């Protein structure tokens, strides 16, 4: 519950700052909300490729750690 509360306390000000910056840049409220809650709409193709590379790295590292942990349990 503590982690959830901290997450919400960080998320709310960040969303407010994002909405405020979009409104200051001249976007209307509908587009600001769309940009805040769907960040993939405003990414450049290079940013999207980098995100996918990091996501693949995360998945492979998860399976590598799981496999390594399974091997050490079998040896003991």
């Amino acid at each position: 519950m503590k982690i959830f509360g901290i997450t919400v306390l960080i998320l709310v000000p960040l969303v407010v700052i994002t909405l405020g910056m979009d409104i200051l840049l001249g976007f209307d409220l509908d587009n600001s909300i769309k940009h805040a809650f769907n960040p993939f709409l405003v990414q450049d193709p290079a940013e999207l490729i980098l995100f996918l590379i990091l996501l693949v790295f995360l998945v492979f590292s998860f399976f590598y750690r799981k496999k390594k942990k399974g091997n050490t349990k079998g040896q003991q």
Side-chain angles (χ1 to χ4, degrees), residues 60-71:
F60 281 133
S61 67
F62 172 74
F63 284 122
Y64 177 75
R65 286 183 187 179
K66 191 170 184 178
K67 183 179 176 184
K68 188 175 180 181
K69 187 177 179 182
N71 287 343

Side-chain angles (χ1 to χ4, degrees), residues 6-75:
I6 292 170
T7 304
V8 170
L9 285 176
I10 292 172
L11 177 69
V12 171
L14 288 176
V15 169
V16 169
I17 290 170
T18 303
L19 289 175
M21 291 297 290
D22 277 351
I23 291 171
L24 287 174
L25 286 170
F27 295 107
D28 59 344
L29 187 60
D30 291 336
N31 280 338
S32 297
I33 291 172
K34 190 186 302 182
H35 290 168
F37 289 106
N38 197 353
F40 298 108
L41 291 177
V42 294
Q43 282 186 341
D44 292 332
E47 292 173 336
L48 189 60
I49 291 170
L50 180 63
F51 173 74
L52 291 175
I53 290 170
L54 291 174
L55 187 65
V56 167
F57 180 71
L58 177 70
V59 169
F60 281 133
S61 67
F62 172 74
F63 284 122
Y64 177 75
R65 286 183 187 179
K66 191 170 184 178
K67 183 179 176 184
K68 188 175 180 181
K69 187 177 179 182
N71 287 343
T72 57
K73 277 187 177 181
Q75 292 175 357

